[in-house]
Structure formats: structure tokens, C-alpha cells
Amino acid sequence: MKSELPKEEGVFEYYLDLYRKLNNTVPDLIEQKVITDFSQIKKTKDSAWNYGRGAFLSRCCYELGYFSEKELKEYLEKSYKGIKNHCCTWKEYTTSYVFGRAIWGGSNNNGMMQIAADLLNNEKSPLKNKTHL
């Protein structure tokens, strides 16, 4: 693995740390029935988490006056188009989001998994009757 990486200092350690996180997180998510196997997240990866964080940060920038409303809307539109390259359904999106959250903060995702389940299944949820993004 090391021979295929750039020679920049710290790159190998970064990828080794990422591998360790995946090695710990994926089995936990399978046990928690978030995913069935690793192949389920190969396409979506942690894209929803990353695009979600980007949308949150752009909203913060707007609230603080760094972005105009027009810039905010443009960024959110680009984010929406970008996430559609990775996730086609809301189920894929929520799985990708939970996966990204687990990579970022560990596998204790009960609260996040409950929010995802509620968004997908609660009769009052705006996503209940929507399958595709």
C-alpha cells in the first residue's frame, strides 16, 4: 500500500488511520443493520455526510454575512447536483450520511440512525413518500 502513495510526509499515516477507522466502523454498521456489507457503500461512500457538512457550512457563512443569499442558493444547488452523482434514493443518502458520521465520530450512531429511520418512515416526514432525491 505504501509504495502506491505519494511520498509526501504524513500521507501514509493518514491512509493507515482511515483504514483503521473503516476496519472498526464497517463491522459495527453491519451489526447495527445500517448496511449489509461493505459493497453497499462503495458507490455512495461518505458523500452524504460531506455534502451535508458543506451545506451546513454554507448556511453558516450566509448567516454570518460571508455569503449572499444568491451565493448560498448557488452553492446548495451545486451540492444537490453533486450528491446525486453518489446517491439516487433517500435510503442511500441516509445510509451514506450515517456511514460518514461513523467515520468522522465513531460508531456510536444511535441518535443519527434514529433520525434517519424517522425521516424515512415517519408518516409526517417530508421524505416518507419520496423515494428518489
Side-chain angles (χ1 to χ4, degrees):
M1 181 170 124
K2 192 172 187 177
S3 66
E4 299 296 320
L5 293 173
K7 303 298 181 214
E8 297 163 17
E9 193 173 318
V11 172
F12 178 71
E13 289 78 19
Y14 170 79
Y15 283 104
L16 186 60
D17 183 52
L18 188 58
Y19 171 78
R20 287 180 179 139
K21 285 180 180 178
L22 284 171
N23 201 32
N24 292 330
T25 303
V26 171
D28 286 346
L29 293 175
I30 291 171
E31 183 180 316
Q32 296 166 350
K33 297 182 179 13
V34 174
I35 60 174
T36 54
D37 56 45
F38 185 76
S39 65
Q40 189 177 349
I41 54 173
K42 282 180 108 172
K43 177 186 171 232
T44 62
K45 303 176 180 81
D46 60 344
S47 303
W49 173 253
N50 292 324
Y51 277 102
R53 287 189 309 162
F56 174 74
L57 288 173
S58 63
R59 178 65 190 255
C60 291
C61 288
Y62 169 74
E63 297 274 336
L64 293 170
Y66 298 129
F67 283 0
S68 67
E69 184 175 346
K70 180 182 179 209
E71 290 170 313
L72 172 65
K73 288 179 180 179
E74 288 171 356
Y75 189 88
L76 293 176
E77 181 66 26
K78 286 179 186 177
S79 295
Y80 176 68
K81 288 178 181 176
I83 192 59
K84 288 183 80 166
N85 292 319
H86 301 279
C87 301
C88 296
T89 67
W90 285 108
K91 174 70 175 146
E92 285 178 344
Y93 181 89
T94 57
T95 299
S96 174
Y97 194 92
V98 169
F99 172 64
R101 171 63 173 76
I103 292 295
W104 177 76
S107 60
N108 186 5
N109 278 308
N110 292 338
M112 191 61 59
M113 291 177 353
Q114 182 57 48
I115 291 169
D118 193 51
L119 283 170
L120 293 172
N121 301 311
N122 188 306
E123 292 299 324
K124 294 180 180 179
S125 170
L127 303 184
K128 172 64 177 154
N129 296 315
K130 293 183 181 180
T131 303
H132 294 87
L133 295 178

